[in-house]
Amino acid sequence: MPFPAPLTGVIPPVCTPLTPDREVDVPSLLRLVDHLLDGGVDALFVLGSSAETAHLTDRQRAVVVESVVAHVAGQVPLLAGAIDMTTPRVLDHVAYVTRAGADAVVVTAPFYTRTHPAEIARHYRLVAHRSPVPVVAYDIPVSVHVKLGPELVLELAADGTLAGLKDSSGDLAGLRAVVAGVRTRPALTEFSALTGSELVVDSALALGADGAVPGLANVDPAGYVRLDRLCRAGDWDAARAEQERLCALYGMVGVGDPARMGASSSALGAFKAALHLRGVIACPATAEPQVPLTQEEREGVGKHLAAAGLL
Amino acid sequence: MPFPAPLTGVIPPVCTPLTPDREVDVPSLLRLVDHLLDGGVDALFVLGSSAETAHLTDRQRAVVVESVVAHVAGQVPLLAGAIDMTTPRVLDHVAYVTRAGADAVVVTAPFYTRTHPAEIARHYRLVAHRSPVPVVAYDIPVSVHVKLGPELVLELAADGTLAGLKDSSGDLAGLRAVVAGVRTRPALTEFSALTGSELVVDSALALGADGAVPGLANVDPAGYVRLDRLCRAGDWDAARAEQERLCALYGMVGVGDPARMGASSSALGAFKAALHLRGVIACPATAEPQVPLTQEEREGVGKHLAAAGLL
Amino acid sequence: MPFPAPLTGVIPPVCTPLTPDREVDVPSLLRLVDHLLDGGVDALFVLGSSAETAHLTDRQRAVVVESVVAHVAGQVPLLAGAIDMTTPRVLDHVAYVTRAGADAVVVTAPFYTRTHPAEIARHYRLVAHRSPVPVVAYDIPVSVHVKLGPELVLELAADGTLAGLKDSSGDLAGLRAVVAGVRTRPALTEFSALTGSELVVDSALALGADGAVPGLANVDPAGYVRLDRLCRAGDWDAARAEQERLCALYGMVGVGDPARMGASSSALGAFKAALHLRGVIACPATAEPQVPLTQEEREGVGKHLAAAGLL
Amino acid sequence: MPFPAPLTGVIPPVCTPLTPDREVDVPSLLRLVDHLLDGGVDALFVLGSSAETAHLTDRQRAVVVESVVAHVAGQVPLLAGAIDMTTPRVLDHVAYVTRAGADAVVVTAPFYTRTHPAEIARHYRLVAHRSPVPVVAYDIPVSVHVKLGPELVLELAADGTLAGLKDSSGDLAGLRAVVAGVRTRPALTEFSALTGSELVVDSALALGADGAVPGLANVDPAGYVRLDRLCRAGDWDAARAEQERLCALYGMVGVGDPARMGASSSALGAFKAALHLRGVIACPATAEPQVPLTQEEREGVGKHLAAAGLL
């Protein structure tokens, strides 16, 4: 389906359920997609960071995008990550996710290699030139170790390179600068400014962002859809209450013992434990080399679900 | 051939010559290999950072390792990088480079994803368990954004996970701690402690490192071999003079205008311009999205070559 | 006067006007204070980062706080920074600013020295134990290179160490966590959660922050006061419009040529040029070793003022 | 006494012994100075990082420099740190340490404020212009969060601003670039290139550094003097053995539990515990807010001393 211009609403970065031996669990993945569509989400984003894309082989990535495209069958727009170190490798991912039917690709700045803003611009221009579908920039400094400045994003939007931005930088002032820049340029009315935050979706929408891509929406898609609709209705008090409920739920990402595992193991382990406890996926396994949550830590996730009324 | 225990001497991280349309230029690659072997190097390392591995597609990486394995035909040990974000993706690279005949694999800590020391240890143990050849850890914080601590390296050496370390961290005190730890553990006599520096090879060998993996050895392999032999002979004054000549030559990495490109574009562009000027490779192109050197900047490389007696 | 509990509204971090030979220009400072009070601000914060406190000698700092205390004479609460590397040095600053009459002190985590959360907690507890007035934590990772986590802030609030937080980290989700934690603890109803941002004051107030400490309020205090009042009235559309006007005005911080100066020189140079152009201060000089704006760059500041209706 | 040109040998950064209530323990300080002079050191550096200068009040700093100047009475050159955030504050420290009789001042780049290379150059030029004694640049990125590039150091050496460099960056290749640049400029024969490392003193001297400023020399001055003399004699094997003994001794900095304290608390706590165990100082207290070592951790220091033959 054509990529909306702009894309609005809730676009969950779909988790990738795995079997106990770490293969893609397609039936669970499709149940998760149904769970999200039932929650009312506006689009889906596969192969993002919450999908553990950095941990999936190319074969596994292809299985994910092909399975979800076939299952969704155009009900909502489908964005796919094309996450790799540099332009030539990203283009390989763009090729198979678009061949499979993705409606847009989501691409970070180069990483592993050190980059200059001129090289980042060159990267996006080359990707956009070769991509058959729109390109959304993915600003995620915690992974890429560089921040996409608003000026660079607006320059690449103005020349038609970028169709949107998923801002997972935590820098709301920077997102505001992009939103303001888009608004003052008539040619950019189709640009999609999306926040990747779970915790300040109401703030982002209030200042003019088009939508949100929160990892926690895997666990509670209906909650984020409610939040989005309240914001669109201008009911800011109710929106804030819903956002605060979701912030409390997000506390689950801290269940893992920091002496034993990193923040990604804990956060993705918690999302998957929650989906398992909610009966959506068959197995809470995360990809290697992430450290699994203990039984006790998974019970901690259950307490967060219960407190949020989700069990 | 069996991986030496320990590996010693000069092990150039072989550059990957490209055609003007950015395909692997196999004839140039093989000429470069001959140039290095003629220079007397002790082993070869393909698909490292100097090889622009982050910029090569899987297909291109396979071409590189297959071409070089066939050409070298066991004359010297061949190490191959298996550079990717996490364990499952690294294992895919390990599979094809070892199937092609690499004698050892060189593996970084996970990147893009945030990691904990426990996850890095788990990563290396899983890779070593599945690799048919020895695993060398590649410590390169400028790319991976984490430093491998000496304690972690020694722990993974002691349990047989790691056969060696390529230390590109610039932290000579850390390399010394590894060397000291290796010496005090009789079971580790086969461990290879290698520096990735171009600039303090004499210092590293003086404190007990086994060998060096300097990118600049692409340009002047004979110089680094001379340096290595002088160090082994204990002729420290002559070694220092040779090292200082190589340090001056290394100044070529600064030819690129920092207002127009990043440090990688400049350094790798300079190495390739030098190889082109020396008649080793057919084309100085670097991979996308790196910014090419100008004609004037390439002439600056020529001046460095001339000053070092290499033109 | 007693420190409000909580402190709300607009609390400008008062710039420190300098003479051409870099002494404190007391008449200009007092005119600036009047300009701020005329703008309707709720409190004043002297010796913060916008005051170039890092550049002021102890003698100059004393002049600032003594002059302002005498001039304000209790009309509004007066906060004073006690910015130094570690506890013993901070305590010296606490002593003279409170002797002069400051109503609260604003204190960062230790810097220059490397710190552990336990040491940061110890630091604040020692400072609070010795300070005759309330202590507000100043979270400014760009200067201190450490982030105060919400858990640490709440722990130090709960035991009475901290009376408030000035959050200049740019991490709105973290500020939200503090606000949420304060709300759920009845004993913390007096805690003041303040944003140091110029650009997302509306967002911060919407999610429950008590007030704002924006450097740009030196230039346009009435604008920030209007913004604060609109937020308190729940008129979010008008608030957003006012915030966006201020965001555009804030663009002045980019007038300095980044090839010639750092971001602080440009931003503080712009604020002072604006105050000079508006006739508030006699000289736009910034403290050493900051690079002064050129005449052309100062004219750029004037254009920002004109566009915002302030000239 | 005139500052040597260049300064060579071992220049310990003198620790600052404290009483149990954290005042400067002058008798212990003077015993420490005698211990260092007895060890044969070539100069003394007070008010450096190992002196906990970041933790000393101005009054305490003055006591240190005045006491040591009077006690040393010109037997060896005396360098004094003038460690503060920016030029005006640094100049205040320069004034009292030189009035007291310091033979040179040691100055970092500005910190807390964000800086540009042009601002760092301006800072050093202003300080040198006002300092009655030579200025040595102190490159310590772990504290200052900026690295002094070799080009900048050489530029400031060439114009007479800097008399030397204390390189505590851990970047031996950078120190080598400074040494090489000094050697090729006849006007710079008096420039002193000093390493701040404890662990690669032999490497630094081998590549041409003039001297070393190792914190651990407080504990074992005779060991570092022996190391220096062996290096000067070109007896590299014996030098390496001595350096390795000192590296093992340096292991004491890791005695502190990282769950309970930061690296500075542990390292400075260990140095002071060692000096206390060796009978040099009366009390092992470190300055606030550092966390003290436990009795058991101090016993761990004793084991390191015993293993090194120092108890």
Side-chain angles (χ1 to χ4, degrees), chain A residues 170-174 176 179-180 183 197 199-208 236-237 239-240 243-244 247, chain C residues 170-174 176 179-180 183 197 199-208 236-237 239-240 243-244 247:
Chain A
D171 175 14
L172 198 65
R176 174 164 242 160
V179 166
R183 198 161 20 197
S197 174
L199 302 173
V200 291
V201 172
D202 57 342
S203 310
L205 294 177
L207 60 75
W236 298 110
D237 287 344
R240 176 175 158 185
Q243 176 69 78
E244 290 176 356
C247 288
Chain C
D171 175 14
L172 198 65
R176 173 164 242 159
V179 167
R183 197 160 22 198
S197 174
L199 302 173
V200 291
V201 172
D202 57 342
S203 309
L205 294 177
L207 60 75
W236 297 110
D237 287 345
R240 176 175 158 185
Q243 175 69 78
E244 289 175 357
C247 288

Side-chain angles (χ1 to χ4, degrees), chain C residues 52-129:
Chain C
E52 299 169 272
T53 303
H55 301 260
L56 301 178
T57 64
D58 287 0
R59 184 181 51 78
Q60 292 175 323
R61 293 187 186 194
V63 167
V64 167
V65 68
E66 288 163 11
S67 305
V68 175
V69 165
H71 191 71
V72 170
Q75 299 173 69
V76 295
L78 185 68
L79 294 74
I83 308 296
D84 217 315
M85 298 173 238
T86 62
T87 320
R89 294 184 64 81
V90 166
L91 285 173
D92 272 4
H93 297 291
V94 168
Y96 69 71
V97 300
T98 56
R99 207 179 306 124
D103 301 309
V105 289
V106 182
V107 174
T108 71
F111 52 93
Y112 187 88
T113 184
R114 288 165 289 165
T115 48
H116 184 279
E119 292 157 356
I120 297 173
R122 188 177 175 106
H123 171 68
Y124 278 117
R125 287 187 176 118
L126 287 162
V127 170
H129 183 66

